[in-house]
Amino acid sequence: MALDLANDDQIILASGGYDHTIRLWQTSSGICQKTLQHSEFQVNALEITPDKKVLASASYQHIYMYDLISGSATPVVNYEGTSKNVTCVGFQENGRWMYSGGEDGRARIWDLRSKSNQCPKSFDTRHGTGTNLSPINCAVLHPNQIELFMGDQNGRIYRWDLRTDHNVQLIPENDVMILGIDISPNSAQMASVNNKGMAYIWNLSSSGSDASTTLEPKNKFQAHSRAVLKCKYSPDSRMLITTSADQTARIWDSQEYNLQRELTQNNQRWVWDAAWSADSQYVFTASSDNFVKLWNVATGDREREYPGHQKAVTALAFKDAII
C-alpha cells in the first residue's frame, strides 16, 4: 500500500523550527497551507493528538495547543509552569492526557480533560540525596500506556511506572547525552541514541503480575560519525531511522541493524527530526537547510521538498491513514 498524497483530507504534516513559526503543509504539492504564529522562541517538538484535532508545540516554558479543526493561527490552550525549555511531548493513546519532559529535569503528566490545565503527576531526575536535576532530552510512552521512558543529559535512561511512581535507571554509556529514545510499535524493542553517534538497542519483555517491562541488551553500533539527534521506529516495527548532525538520516533494519538506506543531499546540514508514513514506505525529514523532505524508503530517493521556513527546521509531526 502506498501513501496517498492526493488525499490531503486524511493527512496532517506540521513542521516547526528556529524561525518561530509552525507550518501546515499540503503533502501532495509541497504548498504551505497555513502558518501558525508561535511564541518568540523556537519550536522544540511537535505532536498531533490521536484524533487529529489538536497540535501540541513544545517551546521555552510552554506547551502551546493549536486547534486544527477551526484553523485558528493562534494557540487555544497554553500549558505553562516549566522553568526552561520543554524538549519533548506526546499523548496517551486515547488523548486523555499528555506527557512532556524538559531541561528543568522534570517529566510531567497533563490532564487534557481538566479545564485548569492541571499537571497531577510529575517525575524528576534528582539522584540520591543530590539537589541538581539533569535535563531531560527525550521521552517515549510504552505502547502499554503505563510506562514512560526518558533519556537525560547525564546519560541515564529512566523507566517510570505511572501507576506506582516506581522508577528504574540504566546507563548505557558513561559521560554521554541521551538525545533520542523510541520503542517499536510492537513493544519488542527500544532504541536510544547519544551525542557520540552511538545507538543502543534492547529487547523488551513483560513479566510478573505487574506487567512491568524488562530490558535485555540486544545490540550497540556506531550509527553516525557525529551526534545522533533522533531515532524512530517505523509503524511496522521493521526499521529504525536515525537523524544526525553529520548531515544524514539513516535507515536500519530492526533484526540485525544493518544499514538499509542513507538519506542525504548536498548542503543538507543537521537532520533534526523524522516522521514515518503509516505504511512505513515513506519518511519525512527536517533539517538545518530550512527544508522538510519526503523520501521513498525502498529507493532512498528524495521525492518532494517543502520550502518556506526561514531558519532550521527542528521538529515534525505527521498523521496519515493507510489507504
Side-chain angles (χ1 to χ4, degrees):
M1 298 181 185
L3 175 63
D4 184 3
L5 290 176
N7 190 7
D8 280 306
D9 289 342
Q10 299 298 319
I11 298 174
I12 301 170
L13 173 63
S15 62
Y18 284 177
D19 63 359
H20 305 163
T21 68
I22 297 170
R23 293 178 179 266
L24 302 179
W25 301 94
Q26 185 181 58
T27 52
S28 58
S29 66
I31 295 173
C32 178
Q33 292 183 307
K34 184 176 287 292
T35 300
L36 308 179
Q37 299 305 312
H38 201 253
S39 67
E40 65 270 26
F41 302 105
Q42 70 195 52
V43 179
N44 297 321
L46 293 170
E47 191 61 61
I48 299 166
T49 54
D51 62 9
K52 300 184 182 181
K53 292 181 179 180
V54 177
L55 174 70
S57 171
S59 184
Y60 180 70
Q61 296 184 336
H62 300 273
I63 303 171
Y64 297 107
M65 311 292 278
Y66 295 86
D67 187 337
L68 295 172
I69 303 301
S70 70
S72 173
T74 57
V76 293
V77 182
N78 174 17
Y79 290 91
E80 53 189 347
T82 59
S83 59
K84 298 181 180 180
N85 270 305
V86 182
T87 55
C88 46
V89 64
F91 295 98
Q92 182 260 357
E93 63 182 358
N94 295 323
R96 296 174 182 170
W97 47 266
M98 173 175 66
Y99 66 86
S100 67
E103 291 179 351
D104 62 356
R106 290 183 169 86
R108 292 173 169 85
I109 303 298
W110 305 89
D111 185 355
L112 298 180
R113 297 168 295 181
S114 169
K115 295 183 179 180
S116 60
N117 300 350
Q118 290 181 349
C119 173
K121 187 184 288 286
S122 65
F123 169 88
D124 67 57
T125 57
R126 186 178 290 108
H127 308 302
T129 58
T131 57
N132 293 330
L133 302 183
S134 179
I136 294 173
N137 293 326
C138 50
V140 62
L141 182 64
H142 192 288
N144 65 17
Q145 307 296 298
I146 58 177
E147 294 172 305
L148 189 66
F149 286 78
M150 300 156 281
D152 74 10
Q153 283 197 16
N154 285 339
R156 286 180 170 86
I157 293 175
Y158 306 85
R159 178 180 65 81
W160 176 28
D161 190 315
L162 301 176
R163 302 162 302 175
T164 65
D165 277 340
H166 178 69
N167 79 89
V168 176
Q169 303 174 21
L170 64 124
I171 304 176
E173 184 178 349
N174 289 320
D175 302 321
V176 300
M177 297 180 185
I178 306 293
L179 297 180
I181 190 168
D182 198 30
I183 295 175
S184 60
N186 65 4
S187 306
Q189 298 183 51
M190 182 178 80
S192 75
V193 291
N194 66 33
N195 66 321
K196 291 186 177 181
M198 293 294 295
Y200 286 79
I201 311 296
W202 290 265
N203 286 326
L204 304 183
S205 61
S206 297
S207 60
S209 58
D210 64 352
S212 60
T213 298
T214 301
L215 289 78
E216 177 185 357
K218 171 182 172 66
N219 200 348
K220 68 175 181 179
F221 59 96
Q222 189 77 40
H224 293 268
S225 60
R226 298 181 65 187
V228 189
L229 305 174
K230 288 286 175 63
C231 61
K232 290 186 178 180
Y233 281 100
S234 58
D236 63 10
S237 299
R238 294 180 178 178
M239 294 171 284
L240 177 77
I241 189 169
T242 54
T243 69
S244 174
D246 71 1
Q247 304 187 32
T248 71
R250 291 176 176 172
I251 296 175
W252 314 82
D253 74 81
S254 62
Q255 295 299 315
E256 301 299 328
Y257 287 88
N258 296 316
L259 180 61
Q260 302 298 301
R261 294 283 180 270
E262 181 175 270
L263 310 179
T264 186
Q265 181 185 15
N266 291 339
N267 302 316
Q268 184 164 252
R269 302 168 68 186
W270 287 31
V271 185
W272 287 93
D273 201 359
W276 291 91
S277 65
D279 60 11
S280 302
Q281 295 185 22
Y282 296 86
V283 69
F284 294 89
T285 59
S287 48
S288 288
D289 60 3
N290 307 349
F291 285 95
V292 177
K293 302 180 183 74
L294 172 68
W295 305 83
N296 185 308
V297 172
T299 64
D301 293 336
R302 187 183 75 256
E303 298 213 347
R304 192 163 287 108
E305 289 187 342
Y306 300 81
H309 282 284
Q310 301 305 304
K311 295 184 179 180
V313 189
T314 56
L316 288 175
F318 182 64
K319 292 286 186 185
D320 69 328
I322 295 178
I323 305 301

